[in-house]
Amino acid sequence: MKKEIIFTTLLVIILLLVTSSQVNADSELSWKYRSYGSTYLTDIYCKIDSNNKLHIVFSDPNTQTLHYGTYNGYNWDIETVKSNFDSWGDENVKLDLDSSNRPHIIYEQSKTLYYMKKQSGSWSLDIVDSTGQLGSTSFDLEVDSSGRPHIVYNVWDSEPYNHWVKYAVYSWGWDISIIDSGGNVGVDVSLALDYNDKPHVLYCELIYRPMTTSPKLWYAYLSGSNWINELLSQSQYTEVSQLSIDVDSNNKPHICFSDSIDEPFNDRNLKYANKVKGYWEYGTIDSSGDDKGSYCDIVVDNENNPHVTYGGEGINYGYNNGNSWELDKVSSSGETPTIDIDEYNLPHICYKIRYYSEKYVHYAYKQPTEPDPPKNLGINAYNDYIRINWNAPDFDGGVQIENYHVFRGTSSNQLIQIKSLGTQKSYSDYNIEKGTTYYYQVTASNDFGESSKSNKVSETIPEIKISNPSLDYTHYTDDTLILNWDSTNAGDYVKIELYYDGSLYKTIMEKTYNDGLYEWAIPSDIEPNDYYEIKITDTQNSYTYDSSEFFRIEQNFIQKYGTILIVSVILILVVASSLFYFKFTKVKSNPKNIKKKTKRRNK
């Protein structure tokens, strides 16, 4: 039981550490602001194309004109797409882009819903629906991967306010179906297409004061040719409105909406829900009151994390990093914000301000920058190369790191770039000379620039260089072989070994002082042969070593010829003794010689 408690505690601590270390990249970036116009503008809606360029639509009530334009980061390019445009209020126009970045627009005029698209430099106009009362409608637009527009909108006929939610898609003409006709539905609607181009719709019922029923929040999706409607919330809130929906890459819906528990209705909270394994999970984005959640808009990035913008004491932004919501104030004033994200998952928000001095289009966005420098550059020296490694920067500039760049020099203040590595975070440098000190630094770069340099590290390759024994020199057993070497930046002790033909033959000394001199008495039992070599290794770093040139060991003269000499002497002595004995024995045993000697004596 104690082991389980300890394990659980450790797991919780690890999860907390991991969670606390996850920081939204764009939280490090500051907001940038641009504006357009000099008169009161409204019906503002924006989208970001595949080149990260802003597309915007807005109306000018003073001139009764509808405008579309782009901003490339430097200049606005604005054109008038419709004259005699009667702008009656907020969110009267919607915009989306197709896969070729061409704009598609829907708007309502004179109780008729219109659709426009720009192709080959000119705009085409078409009527979507003119049945029923669209004068105070809510609608939304999405363009699918084939360039077909999908529209969801609200229609009402007359007292007692019978509302419908309709859906239209263009396929050689407008194909219109009814999503819900159950009463006062569709006061607010929102549409998203999943990755199969299937529509997902969020809408709510209209509630009148005094309230006799709780408001209802509905989610609908198309299954085959039938609409499936799900009731999400009924009894929790006294008002549900200002809603938005988007779908992630797994075709799962994410929604945001505002609610008010009690009157006054400007005391809203911003809520969030997503569908996980068939069930809706609810949470709160911002509960600080002050009308938080008015005019909310949601978009899901390519990592399936939701971003929202919403009103309430100005313009606000929220991002969910997978664990919690990070909130940011965009502007202290403003309303009706819309949001989109670029390829770097960074937010772009357009909104308006009603103040007389700020009546134009406002655009706030976060732009990537160059990254911070790499962290914790470390270095290790081996026998014939130096290896450096580092950690990624704390902040990548808002976009992914594309390259790391290695700088090197033999002087601490003169480093030049020697390598660009992609995203690997280590480098082995073989182009070095032993005994030379090398200095290193690393930078990181993304699409928006290069960081400053990292901390500086240096290392000298330790060197052991054997000067004796030398090539083709013959040494003899029982002789003393003087081993000489020089060392640079090596340890205090070395190991000395004898190798034969590349393989260890014997260890001469496991550990001896690294003083450059060792007298080795060559044992008499070493086999005579060529291709012997001495290897001297730093005991503190096995990568620091040197091997001598090949040399030959022979047995000494006595060892080599002693037996032959002894045998030869013995043989000589034996032969000499034999000859002497033979001669003496021959003389003594000859009679003639005896007689001659006797005669000589008689004479």
Side-chain angles (χ1 to χ4, degrees):
M1 184 66 180
K2 289 183 178 180
K3 290 182 178 179
E4 293 178 355
I5 294 173
I6 293 172
F7 176 78
T8 303
T9 304
L10 289 173
L11 182 60
V12 170
I13 293 173
I14 291 171
L15 289 173
L16 288 173
L17 289 173
V18 171
T19 300
S20 63
S21 65
Q22 293 178 342
V23 178
N24 177 21
D26 71 57
S27 66
E28 302 287 333
L29 297 171
S30 59
W31 290 99
K32 297 180 180 294
Y33 299 91
R34 297 292 184 268
S35 61
Y36 176 81
S38 58
T39 60
Y40 179 70
L41 305 175
T42 188
D43 297 321
I44 300 168
Y45 203 84
C46 70
K47 286 290 183 179
I48 300 297
D49 69 18
S50 59
N51 298 315
N52 303 318
K53 184 166 66 174
L54 173 73
H55 295 243
I56 191 169
V57 63
F58 59 90
S59 67
D60 186 342
N62 295 316
T63 60
Q64 292 189 321
T65 49
L66 178 63
H67 302 271
Y68 159 79
T70 60
Y71 179 71
N72 61 9
Y74 303 97
N75 301 302
W76 293 92
D77 183 12
I78 306 296
E79 62 179 296
T80 300
V81 297
K82 188 181 187 313
S83 302
N84 300 317
F85 183 80
D86 182 15
S87 176
W88 56 265
D90 301 326
E91 297 184 310
N92 198 31
V93 180
K94 290 294 172 68
L95 165 72
D96 200 17
L97 306 173
D98 60 29
S99 58
S100 299
N101 296 327
R102 293 174 299 201
H104 300 243
I105 297 172
I106 59 171
Y107 65 90
E108 181 275 328
Q109 287 283 275
S110 303
K111 302 177 182 180
T112 300
L113 187 61
Y114 291 93
Y115 163 73
M116 300 179 69
K117 72 174 179 179
K118 190 174 186 179
Q119 193 168 8
S120 301
S122 61
W123 290 90
S124 62
L125 179 65
D126 195 11
I127 294 176
V128 180
D129 196 348
S130 60
T131 60
Q133 304 290 323
L134 285 89
S136 60
T137 187
S138 174
F139 46 77
D140 204 0
L141 165 70
E142 290 282 318
V143 180
D144 66 23
S145 58
S146 300
R148 299 186 308 161
H150 298 244
I151 302 170
V152 62
Y153 57 102
N154 164 262
V155 177
W156 56 279
D157 48 21
S158 59
E159 296 288 352
Y161 298 103
N162 185 29
H163 289 250
W164 305 333
V165 179
K166 285 187 171 184
Y167 165 74
V169 59
Y170 190 87
S171 298
W172 306 104
W174 290 102
D175 182 8
I176 299 175
S177 60
I178 295 176
I179 298 175
D180 197 338
S181 59
N184 300 320
V185 293
V187 62
D188 283 311
V189 297
S190 182
L191 170 67
L193 298 180
D194 63 27
Y195 280 66
N196 297 318
D197 291 332
K198 299 297 183 182
H200 298 250
V201 178
L202 185 67
Y203 63 97
C204 64
E205 290 193 26
L206 182 63
I207 301 300
Y208 300 101
R209 298 182 181 88
M211 294 184 176
T212 57
T213 60
S214 299
K216 298 177 182 179
L217 184 64
W218 294 89
Y219 163 69
Y221 61 94
L222 197 59
S223 177
S225 59
N226 299 317
W227 284 97
I228 307 299
N229 301 71
E230 295 182 5
L231 178 62
L232 301 189
S233 174
Q234 180 174 357
S235 60
Q236 273 186 294
Y237 314 113
T238 56
E239 183 187 55
V240 177
S241 61
Q242 311 297 332
L243 48 84
S244 182
I245 186 171
D246 200 11
V247 180
D248 63 27
S249 62
N250 298 316
N251 297 329
K252 303 300 183 183
H254 299 246
I255 66 172
C256 66
F257 59 96
S258 68
D259 74 80
S260 181
I261 303 300
D262 297 299
E263 294 196 49
F265 291 105
N266 61 355
D267 190 21
R268 292 186 176 97
N269 298 314
L270 183 62
K271 301 291 184 177
Y272 164 78
N274 66 326
K275 200 170 188 180
V276 180
K277 296 181 179 180
Y279 297 93
W280 287 92
E281 294 184 355
Y282 296 85
T284 299
I285 300 174
D286 194 336
S287 59
S288 60
D290 298 315
D291 207 20
K292 292 295 191 301
S294 60
Y295 301 104
C296 65
D297 195 17
I298 191 170
V299 62
V300 179
D301 65 27
N302 56 33
E303 295 179 352
N304 293 335
N305 294 319
H307 304 241
V308 297
T309 185
Y310 55 100
E313 288 193 323
I315 304 301
N316 307 282
Y317 165 72
Y319 165 80
N320 191 298
N321 60 19
N323 298 291
S324 61
W325 285 95
E326 300 176 12
L327 305 182
D328 193 8
K329 176 68 72 174
V330 180
S331 172
S332 59
S333 57
E335 56 188 25
T336 64
T338 62
I339 187 172
D340 204 2
I341 54 174
D342 57 30
E343 65 172 312
Y344 307 112
N345 294 333
L346 295 177
H348 298 248
I349 298 173
C350 290
Y351 57 97
K352 71 177 182 181
I353 298 178
R354 289 186 183 272
Y355 298 152
Y356 180 78
S357 60
E358 298 186 48
K359 297 179 292 187
Y360 30 78
V361 172
H362 290 262
Y363 169 43
Y365 61 99
K366 290 193 172 185
Q367 186 178 57
T369 65
E370 70 279 357
D372 289 346
K375 300 192 317 177
N376 304 325
L377 179 62
I379 190 168
N380 289 287
Y382 299 92
N383 184 54
D384 56 355
Y385 69 97
I386 291 175
R387 183 175 179 82
I388 58 174
N389 53 75
W390 57 90
N391 295 333
D394 284 329
F395 178 52
D396 59 10
V399 298
Q400 68 179 8
I401 301 296
E402 295 293 336
N403 286 288
Y404 289 104
H405 311 277
V406 178
F407 293 77
R408 188 192 74 176
T410 56
S411 174
S412 63
N413 58 358
Q414 292 183 349
L415 278 65
I416 62 172
Q417 183 176 326
I418 61 170
K419 195 72 175 179
S420 291
L421 297 170
T423 57
Q424 71 182 65
K425 293 186 282 294
S426 64
Y427 174 66
S428 297
D429 187 6
Y430 289 89
N431 188 23
I432 49 91
E433 294 182 3
K434 293 184 177 181
T436 301
T437 300
Y438 293 94
Y439 299 85
Y440 295 87
Q441 285 180 292
V442 178
T443 63
S445 65
N446 58 24
D447 287 343
F448 290 82
E450 185 174 350
S451 74
S452 57
K453 292 178 180 176
S454 68
N455 59 298
K456 187 182 299 180
V457 294
S458 64
E459 188 61 274
T460 304
I461 287 283
E463 181 181 24
I464 293 176
K465 190 172 183 61
I466 298 175
S467 56
N468 191 60
S470 57
L471 181 65
D472 294 335
Y473 200 86
T474 301
H475 301 273
Y476 297 94
T477 56
D478 291 331
D479 282 354
T480 297
L481 174 57
I482 306 298
L483 307 179
N484 297 114
W485 68 91
D486 296 311
S487 66
T488 303
N489 206 36
D492 294 331
Y493 297 92
V494 295
K495 179 167 69 171
I496 302 175
E497 298 168 304
L498 178 66
Y499 277 70
Y500 171 68
D501 199 20
S503 299
L504 178 64
Y505 185 83
K506 70 175 299 178
T507 298
I508 296 173
M509 195 66 183
E510 190 68 37
K511 185 176 182 180
T512 186
Y513 284 110
N514 182 17
D515 56 7
L517 173 67
Y518 184 80
E519 297 181 359
W520 177 45
I522 302 176
S524 59
D525 59 351
I526 288 185
E527 298 178 6
N529 231 316
D530 295 321
Y531 303 112
Y532 282 109
E533 58 182 334
I534 296 292
K535 181 181 179 181
I536 300 179
T537 305
D538 185 348
T539 58
Q540 294 180 344
N541 183 358
S542 61
Y543 293 100
T544 302
Y545 63 86
D546 190 28
S547 296
S548 72
E549 297 173 327
F550 289 112
F551 61 92
R552 179 176 177 80
I553 293 179
E554 288 278 7
Q555 289 182 326
N556 62 36
F557 186 81
I558 298 298
Q559 278 187 302
K560 187 173 183 180
Y561 301 107
T563 302
I564 297 174
L565 288 173
I566 291 172
V567 172
S568 299
V569 170
I570 292 173
L571 289 174
I572 291 171
L573 291 174
V574 169
V575 170
S577 299
S578 298
L579 291 173
F580 177 78
Y581 177 78
F582 176 76
K583 185 177 180 180
F584 177 78
T585 303
K586 184 178 180 181
V587 172
K588 186 175 181 180
S589 62
N590 191 338
K592 292 182 178 181
N593 289 339
I594 295 173
K595 287 180 179 181
K596 287 180 180 179
K597 291 180 179 178
T598 304
K599 288 179 178 181
R600 287 191 192 111
R601 290 194 195 105
N602 294 331
K603 288 181 178 181

